Amino acid sequence: MNIDELSPPERRLWEAFPRGESVDLSSADPGLSDPATADRWGPDRYIRAEVLVALLAGAVEPESGHVAAVRLSGARILGSLNLGHAQVDVPLALTNCVFDEAPHFYWASMDSVHMMRCRMPGLVASGTRVDGHLWLEGSQVSGGLLLDGAHIAGILNMSGVHLLNPGGDALLADRLSVDANVYCDQGFTANGEVRVPGARVGGQLILRKARLHNPSGAALYASRLEVAANMFCDGGFSAQGSIRLRGARVGGYLSFVGAQLSCPDGIALNADDLAVETDVYCSDGFTSHGGVTFAGARVSGQLSLRGARLHNDSGTALSLQRLQAEEVLLRPAEQVKGVTDLSFAKINLLRDDPATWPERLQLDGLQYETLEPPLTARDRLNWLRRDTDGYQPQPYERLAQTYRALGLDADGRSVLLAKARDRRKTQGIPRKIVGWFQDVLVGYGYRPFRAASWLMSLLVFGTIVFSLHRPAILNEDDHPHFNAFFYTLDLILPIGDLGQERVFAPEGVYQWIANLIVIMGFVLGLTVAAGATRALSRE
């Protein structure tokens, strides 16, 4: 490039470059300092993009003892800043600059890049390698920010950045790799889809106070995202459109504390198959209009939904299906509006609150070690019976095992009795009749003292009947003493011999009564024996 063809502002930049000095073309008029007023800037603030390309491509040698750099403020960049496939060994720092065309850095190898509070009609940095930081703080990018396949060795700072591409990709960062932290906070906004599937962040991903808007699709598409440390979507974070974290991996904790999510016709937060090494917080004001799903997720610590508000009346508001977690804190601020699916989840400690139990649950296959609060069997049965799938045996068995593990055998038996009764409701009329008799007589075997009461009643009944109608003697040569009490007891006892039953034989209707006492005694005796065995073994 011929230096004689440079304009005065371009010559200033050319001469400042070898020493890495800053050139500030900003106007002294405060009304012209904002990049939004670039249409009113004069030629004294114009810099041709080809001048920047020449400097960054090595047209001027660094001055001895200095680090060359392009440091420019308050300029309007004319033309296309195209550094595609270039090798740039000096820093680029642009502040409060306005671009007429989208810069192109695709597959370039660059030193640190700072483009702060700039306005760009797009930025193409696909496959770019930045050996330092990529600093876009406070900039506005319309038409899409492309970082797919890029590798940033330092920090990616997009704090306060405004991305505008409604109906398209506001940020396209598939397979992006950042070795340090990523900042999308302090007023970061995106109108359009933010895509980071398969991206890798070596530090923290911070979306605190970010506002994402893409109601027709995904506000944040981050499937298979890998974050080595913590991920923050809190502090006023909001999203219009779905958040997709399916298959993502977070090495620290994931925070959605106080986040506001809205996707009324779909899944507001899809964290299926997510893996988090510590805790997940969807709590303290977290609100979702649309489904929230952690199906198949693995949380090594606590999944907290304390103080959350979940709304999806037409479907599943919260899915923890196949979740594996050390602890789930299911104590929302209000009753969940929609189905809560806990089927086939494995949770060590499940902490909930009867005041906010969902109206509709799915519990089949749920495994847990401890419930807090434990509550009585009657209260917990009200919890089980909210299952939308109706009677399922496994939830009753699991709850009974939990009570028995705590030494609460009576509560465990109450649950199993309720299981038998609820199962009876699903059976045909013949089985219902048999079941009803089993319930009335012996409580399906879980009420042994009820069987003992029936035995006593049976003994009293037989004693009265046979006192009034003494049975005949089988052998007239014998003259035994008849005792109605011991005769009835002899009929009732399935084993042993009191010497009455083999001597006396009733006739007619009384023979039928005797046979009934024998059968009832056999059944009730076995029930009492089984109940005693369970009590002694403390199952």
Side-chain angles (χ1 to χ4, degrees):
M1 174 170 284
N2 189 343
I3 192 172
D4 294 331
E5 298 176 352
L6 299 178
S7 66
E10 292 172 343
R11 184 181 293 273
R12 285 180 58 191
L13 180 63
W14 194 275
E15 292 174 350
F17 171 80
R19 296 183 299 278
E21 295 177 348
S22 298
V23 174
D24 188 357
L25 302 180
S26 300
S27 172
D29 183 353
L32 297 176
S33 60
D34 191 333
T37 64
D39 290 342
R40 295 160 54 195
W41 293 358
D44 58 333
R45 301 180 68 174
Y46 293 172
I47 299 289
R48 287 175 295 162
E50 61 187 283
V51 176
L52 296 176
V53 172
L55 293 173
L56 294 170
V60 178
E61 292 293 325
E63 190 171 311
S64 179
H66 295 271
V67 177
V70 172
R71 292 189 170 91
L72 177 64
S73 298
R76 179 172 177 178
I77 312 300
L78 307 178
S80 174
L81 178 58
N82 193 335
L83 293 167
H85 300 279
Q87 176 72 40
V88 179
D89 297 322
V90 297
L92 171 63
L94 303 175
T95 305
N96 287 325
C97 292
V98 176
F99 290 80
D100 284 356
E101 299 182 29
H104 287 74
F105 300 156
Y106 53 87
W107 295 102
S109 180
M110 305 185 71
D111 200 280
S112 62
V113 178
H114 287 206
M115 304 175 74
M116 299 191 300
R117 298 186 297 281
C118 295
R119 293 172 69 91
M120 296 170 272
L123 174 59
V124 180
S126 302
T128 302
R129 178 181 179 87
V130 179
D131 291 329
H133 303 317
L134 176 56
W135 215 271
L136 301 174
E137 183 177 359
S139 292
Q140 178 177 305
V141 183
S142 57
L145 169 57
L146 277 59
L147 293 173
D148 51 307
H151 180 200
I152 300 166
I155 292 171
L156 172 58
N157 188 343
M158 294 192 286
S159 296
V161 168
H162 299 282
L163 303 178
L164 304 172
N165 194 21
D169 295 329
L171 171 62
L172 178 63
D174 301 31
R175 304 176 308 284
L176 169 69
S177 178
V178 180
D179 293 347
N181 295 340
V182 175
Y183 296 93
C184 299
D185 57 349
Q186 302 301 323
F188 174 90
T189 63
N191 192 337
E193 184 172 336
V194 174
R195 292 181 51 88
V196 288
R200 185 187 64 82
V201 178
Q204 300 188 120
L205 174 55
I206 303 171
L207 287 143
R208 185 164 284 155
K209 295 184 179 180
R211 298 190 302 278
L212 311 181
H213 184 83
N214 190 34
S216 61
L220 174 61
Y221 184 79
S223 296
R224 306 180 311 283
L225 170 70
E226 294 186 14
V227 180
N230 305 317
M231 180 173 174
F232 300 93
C233 298
D234 54 16
F237 176 89
S238 66
Q240 300 286 326
S242 64
I243 302 294
R244 301 178 184 175
L245 295 174
R246 184 162 191 169
R249 300 289 183 269
V250 179
Y253 61 84
L254 172 61
S255 176
F256 278 94
V257 172
Q260 305 291 309
L261 309 183
S262 179
C263 186
D265 298 325
I267 304 299
L269 174 58
N270 186 337
D272 292 354
D273 302 314
L274 170 74
V276 178
E277 291 302 318
T278 55
D279 302 325
V280 177
Y281 300 103
C282 296
S283 58
D284 301 305
F286 173 86
T287 301
S288 173
H289 293 277
V292 173
T293 173
F294 286 90
R298 181 181 60 82
V299 179
S300 299
Q302 180 190 82
L303 169 58
S304 176
L305 290 141
R306 181 188 63 190
R309 290 178 168 83
L310 307 175
H311 307 87
N312 191 23
D313 292 332
S314 60
T316 300
L318 175 63
S319 175
L320 303 182
Q321 188 182 61
R322 298 179 288 103
L323 168 76
Q324 297 182 49
E326 182 66 21
E327 178 183 347
V328 172
L329 181 55
L330 189 54
R331 294 179 177 174
E334 60 187 20
Q335 194 173 55
V336 176
K337 305 298 192 300
V339 176
T340 296
D341 187 354
L342 293 165
S343 58
F344 300 98
K346 294 183 179 180
I347 302 166
N348 188 43
L349 172 60
L350 176 59
R351 300 167 64 190
D352 59 8
D353 182 358
T356 56
W357 279 346
E359 290 184 358
R360 293 175 285 167
L361 281 165
Q362 290 182 336
L363 299 171
D364 189 28
L366 171 63
Q367 298 285 337
Y368 48 85
E369 296 299 323
T370 308
L371 291 171
E372 185 180 309
L375 302 177
T376 64
R378 177 175 295 181
D379 290 333
R380 278 293 169 189
L381 285 170
N382 290 332
W383 177 63
L384 291 188
R385 287 166 178 156
R386 294 168 184 252
D387 198 321
T388 59
D389 292 333
Y391 170 78
Q392 299 289 338
Q394 187 275 339
Y396 294 87
E397 295 286 349
R398 178 65 258 174
L399 183 57
Q401 290 174 17
T402 300
Y403 280 124
R404 289 198 296 266
L406 295 172
L408 302 173
D409 292 341
D411 284 300
R413 289 193 297 272
S414 295
V415 172
L416 294 177
L417 175 57
K419 172 194 168 186
R421 288 172 172 170
D422 290 345
R423 180 173 179 268
R424 188 175 71 213
K425 297 175 183 177
T426 67
Q427 297 175 327
I429 293 177
R431 288 184 175 271
K432 283 183 178 179
I433 293 172
V434 173
W436 182 83
F437 277 108
Q438 288 179 313
D439 192 0
V440 171
L441 294 176
V442 296
Y444 284 97
Y446 298 109
R447 292 290 183 263
F449 290 108
R450 181 182 297 177
S453 299
W454 279 105
L455 279 173
M456 292 301 298
S457 300
L458 196 63
L459 181 59
V460 172
F461 171 74
T463 300
I464 294 173
V465 169
F466 294 115
S467 294
L468 298 175
H469 301 278
R470 177 175 173 171
I473 300 173
L474 290 174
N475 188 349
E476 294 294 339
D477 295 333
D478 295 333
H479 298 282
H481 174 71
F482 177 75
N483 186 300
F485 174 82
F486 285 106
Y487 177 74
T488 305
L489 186 59
D490 207 358
L491 292 174
I492 290 174
L493 292 176
I495 57 175
D497 184 4
L498 300 179
Q500 296 281 312
E501 182 182 1
R502 57 185 172 83
V503 176
F504 298 97
E507 297 177 352
V509 68
Y510 297 103
Q511 184 179 357
W512 285 98
I513 293 175
N515 292 338
L516 178 62
I517 290 175
V518 171
I519 295 171
M520 294 292 293
F522 180 77
V523 173
L524 294 171
L526 290 180
T527 302
V528 171
T533 301
R534 279 195 295 268
L536 291 173
S537 62
R538 298 184 66 85
E539 289 184 1

